[in-house]
Amino acid sequence: MGMLMISMFIFTACNKDDDDPTPPPSENKKFETLKTYLIANDMDLPKILDGWITTAEAVHTVMTDNDPANDFYIIDIRSASDFAAGHIDKSHNAALKDVLDTAAKSNNMPIIVVCYTGQTASHAVVALRLSGYKNAKVMKWGMSGWNGNNDSWTANVSSIGVGNANWVDAPGAIAVNTNYGDPVLNTSADDGADILKEQVKKMLDAGFMGVSASTVLNNPKDYFINNFWTEADVQHYGNIKTAHRIKPLSLKNGEYKFYDPSRTAVTYCWTGQTSSMVTAYMNVLGYKAKSLKFGANGMIHSKLQSHKWDASLAKNYPLVQ
């Protein structure tokens, strides 16, 4: 009887093993693979943010000097109709989702991406820098800074945060950071390079991920908010209620763990350009991230003493049709 029971146990155990499929790779394991790849290939966020922006003046100087060998390859990601109405000479029109295909024709020229305000272009530059174009840059203020006829900034600056119940006045009150662990990556790829390629494509296909200042100020508790300022800047201006301050935000040092992957994360900065860079990167990592459009310029414009849009910043550089 005992031998019969032992035989039945072995048979049952073997059947159980045969019925259970090999467990799939952990999605967190895929995030670990992507993280390791990004760090090893010098693509941690602080590196992506190193020298990522230039000015209209600098672009104009290079494009009008007597040395065509140093020209930029300019990608303009505005609509086809607005591009046709007036653009920088020698620039190339492309949709955000097609920016990598357009960059492939750059013939190793340094790339500048322009849009209306510099915010959508920041998403594009993150994609480019993560795809081998490590010197790609955003033109600050976008086409608004190139020619005043393209000003998309002035109508969008605001001081709705001044006196708002959900804006904490100086010296501010920053939320305490918590370790939330790693995000879960939903990807079909397994290799670090392939995971990155797939995640970059997802980010570009999704388009610019922005949210208005009024939406966030009306309901800050609906979001995980990160103020991408220095501590001194928060103490000088204050912050959105419930906001954290996570800067620097690196993979190598683990600051990314302070982002809550279960909530929509909103990053804000001065102009919405840096926060757009951060947002694009965090979406590549698997977070649900958005950039607060126009940054502090869209909330406390009247209080700003620097990083402040003014129509006088717009140049009168030529446009071609």
Side-chain angles (χ1 to χ4, degrees), residues 96 119-120 123 202-212 264-267 272 275-276 279-280 283 287-293:
L96 173 63
Q119 295 175 89
T120 305
H123 272 39
K202 285 181 187 177
M203 182 270 286
L204 289 174
D205 287 347
F208 174 65
M209 300 303 289
V211 60
S212 70
T264 299
V266 173
T267 302
S275 63
S276 176
T279 293
N283 277 309
Y287 289 89
K288 297 176 290 185
K290 293 188 177 183
S291 177
L292 192 145
K293 293 187 287 188

Side-chain angles (χ1 to χ4, degrees), residues 149-163:
N149 290 331
N150 291 321
D151 183 3
S152 296
W153 267 95
T154 301
N156 286 291
V157 299
S158 170
S159 298
I160 60 173
V162 178

Side-chain angles (χ1 to χ4, degrees), residues 13-271:
C14 289
N15 277 350
K16 183 177 187 301
D17 288 343
D18 291 343
D19 289 343
D20 286 346
T22 303
S26 164
E27 294 300 328
N28 273 50
K29 177 65 175 177
K30 291 187 178 185
F31 174 80
E32 185 66 29
T33 299
L34 176 60
K35 180 177 79 169
T36 300
Y37 180 81
L38 290 169
I39 294 172
N41 288 277
D42 210 19
M43 291 188 284
D44 204 348
L45 180 58
K47 185 63 179 179
I48 296 298
L49 291 175
D50 182 16
W52 63 276
I53 196 164
T54 189
T55 63
E57 293 94 325
V59 174
H60 181 261
T61 297
V62 168
M63 298 302 288
T64 57
D65 66 15
N66 293 321
D67 183 11
N70 69 355
D71 280 2
F72 294 118
Y73 189 85
I74 302 173
I75 303 176
D76 186 328
I77 58 173
R78 295 176 300 152
S79 71
S81 59
D82 287 335
F83 179 83
H87 55 266
I88 300 172
D89 192 23
K90 301 179 184 178
S91 58
H92 307 266
N93 190 217
L96 173 63
K97 66 182 181 65
D98 299 324
V99 71
L100 294 179
D101 292 334
T102 304
K105 305 169 187 176
S106 64
N107 196 28
N108 295 320
M109 295 170 66
I111 295 174
I112 303 294
V113 184
V114 302
C115 62
Y116 297 95
T117 64
Q119 295 175 89
T120 305
S122 297
H123 272 39
V125 165
V126 168
L128 289 166
R129 287 190 164 213
L130 290 175
S131 302
Y133 303 94
K134 294 190 175 182
N135 294 319
K137 295 184 179 184
V138 174
M139 189 173 78
K140 189 175 182 179
W141 308 119
M143 289 298 289
S144 302
W146 182 268
N147 188 294
N149 290 331
N150 291 321
D151 183 3
S152 296
W153 267 95
T154 301
N156 286 291
V157 299
S158 170
S159 298
I160 60 173
V162 178
N164 189 294
N166 288 323
W167 181 270
V168 182
D169 289 330
I174 290 295
V176 176
N177 290 332
T178 299
N179 187 331
Y180 294 99
D182 294 353
V184 175
L185 268 183
N186 181 19
T187 172
S188 62
D190 294 309
D191 174 77
D194 291 338
I195 293 172
L196 177 59
K197 185 176 180 180
E198 185 175 307
Q199 290 298 109
V200 167
K201 184 179 186 306
K202 285 181 187 177
M203 182 270 286
L204 289 174
D205 287 347
F208 174 65
M209 300 303 289
V211 60
S212 70
S214 60
T215 298
V216 177
L217 283 170
N218 286 339
N219 299 285
K221 291 184 178 180
D222 289 351
Y223 305 96
F224 178 88
I225 303 172
N226 185 31
N227 180 330
F228 207 67
W229 284 353
T230 66
E231 184 178 1
D233 291 327
V234 173
Q235 291 177 349
H236 184 78
Y237 290 108
N239 61 273
I240 298 176
K241 189 177 289 184
T242 76
H244 296 253
R245 194 190 70 79
I246 309 167
K247 183 182 180 178
L249 177 55
S250 72
L251 295 170
K252 184 176 182 180
N253 296 329
E255 291 103 348
Y256 74 92
K257 291 178 182 287
F258 295 140
Y259 260 66
D260 186 350
S262 70
R263 303 176 65 194
T264 299
V266 173
T267 302
Y268 72 93
C269 63
W270 301 106
T271 66

Side-chain angles (χ1 to χ4, degrees), residues 56-57 140-141 144-146 307-315:
E57 293 94 325
K140 189 175 182 179
W141 308 119
S144 302
W146 182 268
H307 309 285
K308 183 175 182 176
W309 170 259
D310 185 271
S312 65
L313 294 173
K315 305 301 178 183

